[in-house]
Amino acid sequence: MTRATTVRAVLAAAVLLVAVLITLTMSPRLGLDLQGGTRMVLQAKDSDTAKADRESTDRTLEVLRKRIDSLGVAEPTLTRSGEDRIIVELPDVQDPRKAAEVIGRTAQLTFHAVQGPGALEGSDTAAGLTLPDEQGSRLALGPVALSGAGVKEASASFDAQQGAGWSVSLDFHKDAGRDWTRLTGEAACHPVQDERRRVAIVLDKQVISSPQVSPTVGCNTGLPSGSTQITGSFSADEARELALLIQGGALPVPVEIVEQRTVGPTLGAAAIDASARAALIGAAATALFITVVYRLFGALAAVALGAYGVISYAGLVALGVTLTLPGLAGFVLAIGMAVDANVLVFERAREEHAQYPGRSLRTSLTAGFRHAWSAVADSNVTTLIAAGLLFFLGSGPVKGFGVTLGIGVLASMFSALVIARALTEIAAGSTFVGDYRGINGIAGPGRVRTWLNRRDPQLMRSPRRWLLISTVLIAVAVTGILVRGVNLGVEFTGGRLVEYATSRPVDVETARSALAGAGFADAEVTTAGAGDISVRTGDLDNAGEHALRAALAEEGGETTKVRDELIGPSLGDELRRNALIALAIAVLVQLVYLAVRFRWTFAVASVGALVHDVIILVGAFAWLGRTVDGIFLAALLTVIGYSVNDSVVVFDRVRELWAKARREPLGTVANRAVLQTIPRTVNTGMGALFILVALAVLGGDSLADFALALLIGIVVGTYSSVMTAVPAALLLERGSKAPPPVRKSASRGRSGAGRRDPLDNGARV
């Protein structure tokens, strides 16, 4: 075993040991779509006195944190997103109405002197406002004397000794305390039981309390800040709620709920179980496939694949990544994509061993790793670009998918280039493995390569024929988009989508009639998975959703909310705009990267194939009537990375062969490159398809569209990377005057090896 192999083995063992320790000692952080709960996105708005910037949004977040903590929600999460948005995650909160009521109180908390009975409710006067008090009697209020920002603390307490029951204690900041003392001192100048002896506490144009100043307080003396108590016939809940509203009532700027998602815990548990089954079955099928194709080396790659799963999972847990349903799907998908690097290496090793049969097995394997490196690096970089775009331009679950995919790509490279290489190099050094060609898996060319070598099809003889087929496919897809239209989800259009499970079966027509009778005639009603009812409306608040559920319960018995998504119209426009921006940036970045790494003709051809795949995938969903939403966007950007990945592998081989045969016609070189890379393309595609079929069949309804989009995308991308990108490059090269690429190193001899195998004496027969 060489020193390099020893270093790789030690490094692999160390990383795997750390990953196992993390897996056994740390728990994953589950997103709300897996553990159940409510997620809200709040948009801060400018007010008359404050601008919704980063500073005011941070202060608003802290006020909201105090409000939500008082709700008793276990481990709530509040984070600022961008300059003026706040993301609130409330685990185990299935009915968001109470949370929305507390969070949604957006007005400034204010304190007013009561000037007497009011004449007209809600009317503005020069002095102040007329509002009803807690009993409904109208009060004329003076101007704002004190803002809620001056409240230092408000707490509910029970006085058992004096028998006063529940009360609310107030404490103000220094300057606000003086204002409070002056306000109560002026009120105390009026007779007891006079309305003007009261002080009104107003939130959102509602009087939440209007206590009388105690008879023991003298005129112009007032109440000191720390000893102020509001007493009355409060119950425990009423006192706590009043303290909560006073303590957290002053938002620096108003907020508006622009997105709300609620997922039932049963749906999350089912999604975890379904994804776990899909991962196990798909990974087992993939491991079996590469073992059958590459035998011993394939089995060792399957072991490295298992190590990849542990390392990738440990990376997610250690970094504190929130694992969402799309993220879980990305984790499963990356298992299939992790096979790609191993397939590239093994196919190159097969070529090396077939070209130089006298070479030792380990030398062929080392050459396979070296020659496959550029394709592995370029293909993984393009996938990382797609993952980065998902993270920076996506939102919510889509962002989580991007993080998971990115970690998966990095872990897969380590798995293939360190763990799998160490295992296979150790095995290749064995005399037994080297002597028996049927065991190692790379001593033979493989069935696909043997068939291609025997038939030698001239696929690139007429490149226009393949471009014509691609044009027809695009025309069919565009026709579907124009005729059937794209069914945009509420994430892009705005509105509300709620899914219910009923104890008694309810057909769609019955549900439509019930909802129409309850005043929801415009609601779009469809069936969801397992007989559930899905309702989509344009504008529906939480009270309306409660009424809608009650209408369904009359027909279906006990009705449980499984999923709830509310997207504001402004956020829907923004998400739709960001989706288009993400696609445009993806195309541009891939074009620039490929132009730098390859020739501009290869770059334009690859991006043309990429656009071809995007149009066909969107058209397929249009013809099938499937929903295009944020999860579809995640699948689409993944397909972009996969499509460019395939094109990179093909063009990397074209560049290599063309540099060796600069005088040979490019069409002949390209045809040879395509035939040499087809075995890799087929085997990699099969590895990914096993995972995706498992997700589509076993992953449940939540992942069905995601898996379907990737299945279509990978099939189309595999075709286009060969039959669209290469013919397009051939036609573009006819008008290009750039010389053929130069061979990088001609001094390494026929094998291209930088140094001789220590176990190889160099003799040849």
Side-chain angles (χ1 to χ4, degrees):
M1 188 165 62
T2 64
R3 181 179 179 182
T5 302
T6 303
V7 171
R8 292 188 190 98
V10 172
L11 178 61
V15 172
L16 192 56
L17 178 61
V18 173
V20 170
L21 289 176
I22 292 174
T23 301
L24 295 177
T25 57
M26 298 179 66
S27 299
R29 180 182 175 187
L30 298 180
L32 295 185
D33 54 352
L34 293 180
Q35 65 174 320
T38 296
R39 178 181 186 272
M40 296 178 178
V41 177
L42 309 177
Q43 176 78 56
K45 301 287 187 180
D46 293 339
S47 68
D48 295 337
T49 58
K51 182 177 178 57
D53 54 14
R54 181 186 294 262
E55 181 181 354
S56 62
T57 303
D58 284 338
R59 288 189 283 116
T60 301
L61 185 148
E62 292 305 319
V63 172
L64 292 175
R65 193 187 304 279
K66 294 177 182 178
R67 292 183 178 184
I68 292 171
D69 286 343
S70 301
L71 292 174
V73 178
E75 298 183 1
T77 302
L78 287 88
T79 54
R80 178 172 51 78
S81 175
E83 293 286 332
D84 56 358
R85 282 199 183 134
I86 298 172
I87 298 176
V88 180
E89 294 185 344
L90 308 174
D92 300 325
V93 174
Q94 305 305 314
D95 187 354
R97 283 188 302 161
K98 182 177 181 181
E101 288 173 1
V102 173
I103 292 173
R105 292 182 185 270
T106 60
Q108 300 286 338
L109 181 74
T110 53
F111 296 79
H112 302 255
V114 176
Q115 297 180 336
L120 183 61
E121 181 180 325
S123 62
D124 290 305
T125 66
L129 188 68
T130 298
L131 293 173
D133 64 6
E134 304 92 310
Q135 287 74 39
S137 301
R138 292 191 296 274
L139 296 177
L141 307 182
V144 175
L146 175 65
S147 113
V151 177
K152 182 178 181 181
E153 185 178 2
S155 59
S157 59
F158 182 76
D159 188 353
Q161 295 181 349
Q162 301 295 330
W166 285 92
S167 62
V168 176
S169 300
L170 297 182
D171 189 12
F172 295 89
H173 294 292
K174 184 177 181 181
D175 293 338
R178 288 195 293 266
D179 293 336
W180 172 254
T181 301
R182 183 172 59 255
L183 175 63
T184 53
E186 292 174 354
C189 293
H190 299 283
V192 177
Q193 300 303 324
D194 191 309
E195 298 285 5
R196 293 171 296 175
R197 197 178 177 92
R198 298 166 69 179
V199 174
I201 306 173
V202 178
L203 178 65
D204 199 17
K205 290 195 175 182
Q206 290 185 349
V207 177
I208 58 175
S209 183
S210 55
Q212 281 260 354
V213 176
S214 171
T216 60
V217 177
C219 178
N220 292 326
T221 301
L223 290 167
S225 167
S227 61
T228 298
Q229 280 191 325
I230 302 175
T231 58
S233 301
F234 295 130
S235 65
D237 289 340
E238 289 172 341
R240 291 194 185 102
E241 183 177 2
L242 178 58
L244 163 65
L245 294 176
I246 295 175
Q247 171 73 19
L251 289 182
V253 289
V255 293
E256 175 188 357
I257 299 176
V258 295
E259 179 184 352
Q260 176 181 301
R261 299 177 188 268
T262 300
V263 176
T266 56
L267 179 62
I272 294 175
D273 293 341
S275 298
R277 287 195 304 271
L280 290 175
I281 294 175
T286 301
L288 180 62
F289 172 74
I290 61 174
T291 301
V292 170
V293 174
Y294 299 109
R295 304 189 189 163
L296 175 62
F297 284 178
L300 294 176
V303 173
L305 194 64
Y308 152 79
V310 175
I311 293 171
S312 182
Y313 176 79
L316 293 171
V317 174
L319 294 175
V321 176
T322 300
L323 193 57
T324 61
L325 183 57
L328 193 60
F331 177 78
V332 175
L333 172 64
I335 295 176
M337 299 182 70
V339 178
D340 182 46
N342 290 309
V343 171
L344 274 169
V345 170
F346 293 156
E347 288 298 329
R348 290 307 300 254
R350 278 180 168 179
E351 293 177 22
E352 292 290 327
H353 204 73
Q355 187 175 2
Y356 308 109
R359 174 186 290 176
S360 70
L361 184 65
R362 197 161 68 84
T363 303
S364 298
L365 186 65
T366 301
F369 274 102
R370 185 177 61 254
H371 288 310
W373 164 247
S374 63
V376 170
D378 286 332
S379 60
N380 280 281
V381 166
T382 56
T383 306
L384 285 174
I385 290 173
L389 291 172
L390 287 169
F391 177 79
F392 288 108
L393 298 177
S395 64
V398 175
K399 187 184 291 286
F401 174 79
V403 174
T404 307
L405 183 62
I407 292 175
V409 169
L410 296 176
S412 70
M413 290 186 68
F414 182 84
S415 167
L417 301 179
V418 178
I419 299 178
R421 182 166 185 175
L423 292 174
T424 52
E425 284 182 344
I426 293 172
S430 168
T431 304
F432 174 78
V433 174
D435 290 343
Y436 289 90
R437 298 170 60 89
I439 291 178
N440 56 65
I442 67 171
R447 294 183 179 180
V448 176
R449 190 178 301 279
T450 300
W451 183 85
L452 290 172
N453 290 338
R454 185 174 65 251
R455 298 294 298 271
D456 192 24
Q458 298 300 309
L459 298 176
M460 296 298 116
R461 177 177 297 171
S462 179
R464 285 189 173 87
R465 174 181 57 187
W466 300 113
L467 294 179
L468 178 61
I469 295 175
S470 297
T471 302
V472 172
L473 292 175
I474 291 176
V476 173
V478 171
T479 301
I481 295 172
L482 296 177
V483 174
R484 299 269 297 181
V486 179
N487 181 24
L488 295 176
V490 294
E491 193 165 4
F492 293 145
T493 62
R496 192 160 189 169
L497 177 66
V498 194
E499 187 177 316
Y500 299 99
T502 56
S503 58
R504 296 192 302 267
V506 179
D507 60 72
V508 174
E509 291 303 325
T510 303
R512 283 198 187 105
S513 300
L515 295 181
F520 301 100
D522 295 334
E524 178 184 330
V525 183
T526 57
T527 55
D532 294 347
I533 297 295
S534 177
V535 182
R536 177 174 172 174
T537 63
D539 186 15
L540 185 70
D541 57 16
N542 287 318
E545 185 278 321
H546 188 70
L548 188 149
R549 192 192 326 177
L552 279 179
E554 294 181 2
E555 299 291 339
E558 183 179 356
T559 301
T560 305
K561 182 164 59 175
V562 178
R563 183 165 62 109
D564 185 355
E565 297 183 10
L566 168 66
I567 305 292
S570 59
L571 183 61
D573 292 338
E574 179 180 324
L575 291 174
R576 186 167 63 249
R577 184 173 61 254
N578 284 350
L580 295 175
I581 292 173
L583 289 176
I585 293 178
V587 172
L588 181 62
V589 171
Q590 303 285 15
L591 178 63
V592 172
Y593 179 79
L594 293 172
V596 171
R597 291 289 294 143
F598 296 95
R599 302 162 69 86
W600 72 267
T601 52
F602 291 3
V604 172
S606 296
V607 170
L610 179 157
V611 174
H612 162 278
D613 299 341
V614 169
I615 294 174
I616 290 180
L617 183 53
V618 175
F621 262 54
W623 279 115
L624 295 173
R626 298 280 186 163
T627 302
V628 172
D629 53 12
I631 305 302
F632 175 84
L633 176 63
L636 188 62
L637 289 176
T638 306
V639 167
I640 287 176
Y642 188 91
S643 175
V644 177
N645 183 324
D646 269 0
S647 299
V648 162
V649 172
V650 176
F651 284 130
D652 184 73
R653 187 63 59 89
V654 172
R655 178 177 58 184
E656 178 185 340
L657 296 180
W658 197 10
K660 293 179 180 179
R662 293 165 58 87
R663 298 183 181 277
E664 201 168 345
L666 179 57
T668 304
V669 173
N671 192 79
R672 191 183 314 135
V674 167
L675 295 182
Q676 289 180 4
T677 54
I678 279 180
R680 170 265 166 197
T681 302
V682 171
N683 291 339
T684 298
M686 290 296 293
L689 287 176
F690 283 127
I691 296 290
L692 292 176
V693 169
L695 277 177
V697 176
L698 303 173
D701 299 311
S702 302
L703 295 176
D705 284 354
F706 176 81
L708 177 63
L710 285 174
L711 277 170
I712 296 172
I714 285 179
V715 171
V716 174
T718 300
Y719 168 84
S720 69
S721 62
V722 176
M723 301 306 181
T724 302
V726 177
L730 291 177
L731 294 181
L732 290 172
E733 279 292 339
R734 292 179 182 178
S736 174
K737 297 181 180 180
V742 179
R743 192 173 182 180
K744 289 186 178 179
S745 176
S747 63
R748 294 188 173 185
R750 291 189 310 163
S751 68
R755 59 184 178 181
R756 198 175 64 204
D757 183 357
L759 302 180
D760 186 357
N761 63 10
R764 297 288 183 269
V765 178

